[in-house]
Amino acid sequence: LRSTKIGLTPDVEARFAAAFGRAPRFVARAPGRVNLIGEHTDYNDLPVLPIAIERGVGIAFAPREDLRVRFANADPRFGEREFELAPEIEPYPPGDWGNYAKAAARLLAAERGARLGIDAFVSSDLPPAAGLSSSAALVVACGLALARANSIPVDPLDFADAMARAERYVGTASGGMDQAISLAGERGRALKIDFAPLRIERVELPSRLAFVVAHSTVVAPKSGAARDAYNARRTECAAALARVARAIGAPAPASYPALIARCGAPRLLEAGERALDLTLGRRFRHAVTETARVERAVAALRTADLARLGALFDASHESLRADFEVSCAELDELVAIAREHGALGARLTGAGFGGCIVAACCSEDVARLCDGIARDFHARRPLPAGLDTLVMEVHASDGARVVEAA
Ligand code: GLA
């Protein structure tokens, strides 16, 4: 295949032929992401700063002439799935991987007139449930495949918005970060993403700066208990916003960006302390202070102030641990070990409750940091099934694409 092989098993053509009795015509590839800073801010319409990474989901596919959508999967833990394209599609039981394919299919049928199905073979080199956005990559890759089969034009930001809405079909009230970075990511750059309306600002990464991702070995599937905890955070943030807006007499409809613009962060934090009880107060404080850290991190990247960036990573983790309460003992320990082995700063990345940390370091320190984490953290723990890498350097990479299968 003429595509980059990333996300695809090497024998994809033979396996596609074995499953469907013909050759694939296209390949859709959608990367996962690492969020550098701005965690649990997207669903509050506050900014995030992720990179797309070189690992992702690849789908080899061929359009069909009817409504059938057929999926085979390279990973034997995930079986085959088959359903019909329609504006309303009955979901599989909660937690079934096929619901991500149905999510994209349902939206494209309901809103973009998709009428032709696909035969599709999915493979992935992104660890699932690791906070690296394997679910959004799957939705985006399915969406792009169906869009191509139906000649539906794709504008990256508009499509990201659609795929973010599509993914709510699985029951998680996610924000829009993962789909936006998977579609619009760029090599060598982070994207500062703002919401409502979705917009991006490119932030060049200093050449001496490297990022290492390490797995806590705690698996946090987005469709399980982590989903309820995630949705609860979202509800708490909305409740905190409503109370503070009322307390300071802000005009409706209230939004976090509008309140920050109106009062400035310091006065808004004081208003939050007066208006909110303990839990909501902590959630509110995280949202407001994390937003300030995103702006400061952009400035630190633009001036190549790596020490400052590291300090912001550390402060973000502390806020996620103490105020937002989405960390766990393993993530805290991993962050501490990363700092001991040369990280400039480290923090949990993604939704938390397990999954991965991201550490910032100087390029020359990558090997030392990876070795130190492997020795002091991973060597002492049993490895979860299905993970091929527990610590790796990641590079800011290009967003999702569809190419012809050569
Ligand atoms: C998950 C969600 C994102 C975002 C992060 C936390 O990855 O899918 O929308 O809310 O958690 O920053």
Side-chain angles (χ1 to χ4, degrees):
L1 297 176
R2 190 154 49 76
S3 71
T4 148
K5 290 271 186 187
I6 290 167
L8 290 174
T9 56
D11 54 352
V12 55
E13 278 153 322
R15 295 186 64 177
F16 187 98
F20 302 113
R22 56 176 173 150
R25 294 234 351 250
F26 303 97
V27 172
R29 196 197 149 257
R33 60 102 187 93
V34 170
N35 189 20
L36 301 184
I37 199 160
E39 216 64 85
H40 287 275
T41 46
D42 61 351
Y43 52 77
N44 294 318
D45 296 332
L46 294 170
V48 294
L49 188 69
I51 57 173
I53 61 175
E54 56 274 66
R55 286 178 172 239
V57 171
I59 298 186
F61 67 98
R64 295 178 57 88
E65 282 171 6
D66 58 16
L67 291 165
R68 298 302 299 163
V69 180
R70 299 200 295 169
F71 278 95
N73 200 309
D75 188 329
R77 290 175 302 165
F78 306 111
E80 294 171 9
R81 296 290 181 273
E82 185 171 339
F83 58 90
E84 210 142 271
L85 201 55
E88 290 303 330
I89 304 175
E90 188 65 29
Y92 295 115
D96 192 294
W97 77 271
N99 282 334
Y100 293 103
K102 284 186 168 179
R106 192 207 62 78
L107 184 131
L108 288 173
E111 297 188 10
R112 311 277 156 116
R115 293 292 174 267
L116 300 177
I118 50 175
D119 290 339
F121 183 85
V122 181
S123 59
S124 168
D125 57 6
L126 260 181
L132 302 179
S133 195
S134 57
S135 48
L138 178 56
V139 174
V140 167
C142 290
L144 286 178
L146 283 162
R148 172 61 65 99
N150 286 275
S151 307
I152 295 167
V154 171
D155 164 77
L157 289 190
D158 164 68
F159 204 71
D161 194 62
M163 291 301 106
R165 283 185 291 113
E167 199 176 321
R168 298 194 187 131
Y169 174 87
V170 301
T172 308
S174 297
M177 160 169 68
D178 307 344
Q179 299 77 9
I181 190 65
S182 185
L183 277 147
E186 290 185 22
R187 199 175 156 190
R189 298 183 172 129
L191 296 187
K192 179 178 169 240
I193 306 176
D194 280 277
F195 301 91
L198 190 58
R199 53 209 191 276
I200 57 175
E201 188 183 321
R202 299 176 174 82
V203 183
E204 217 70 45
L205 294 171
S207 57
R208 271 192 64 222
L209 176 62
F211 296 110
V212 165
V213 165
H215 202 293
S216 66
T217 71
V218 178
V219 177
K222 216 179 179 183
S223 46
R227 179 182 80 181
D228 300 340
Y230 179 94
N231 289 346
R233 296 301 180 283
R234 190 174 176 143
T235 310
E236 289 163 352
C237 286
L241 169 67
R243 277 196 214 169
V244 176
R246 217 177 309 123
I248 64 174
S255 74
Y256 276 93
L259 289 203
I260 292 173
R262 183 184 158 104
C263 306
R267 276 190 47 220
L268 189 58
L269 288 169
E270 284 168 23
E273 258 168 48
R274 281 194 303 272
L276 300 169
D277 65 21
L278 277 182
T279 301
L280 290 194
R282 287 199 298 264
R283 305 295 189 254
F284 187 79
R285 184 162 60 198
H286 170 74
V288 176
T289 59
E290 185 76 349
T291 300
R293 284 186 288 272
V294 172
E295 306 297 346
R296 289 180 194 143
V298 169
L301 287 172
R302 293 211 195 284
T303 54
D305 188 342
L306 305 193
R308 182 151 173 70
L309 182 75
L312 290 163
F313 272 38
D314 289 348
S316 170
H317 185 78
E318 182 52 22
S319 179
L320 288 158
R321 186 191 68 76
D323 279 350
F324 220 64
E325 296 176 285
V326 293
S327 190
C328 61
E330 291 83 352
L331 284 167
D332 296 342
E333 189 186 344
L334 197 44
V335 157
I337 288 174
R339 289 184 199 130
E340 279 164 28
H341 290 284
L344 299 156
R347 52 182 293 282
L348 72 85
T349 185
F353 315 108
C356 288
I357 66 153
V358 58
C361 68
C362 296
S363 331
E364 62 269 24
D365 293 330
V366 167
R368 171 161 79 100
L369 178 56
C370 291
D371 292 349
I373 291 173
R375 199 176 55 240
D376 287 358
F377 188 83
H378 292 128
R380 292 190 279 113
R381 289 191 162 71
L383 305 187
L387 289 182
D388 63 346
T389 333
L390 291 172
V391 53
M392 62 186 173
E393 184 182 2
V394 292
H395 300 93
S397 303
D398 283 329
R401 300 276 179 280
V402 179
V403 296
E404 281 184 28

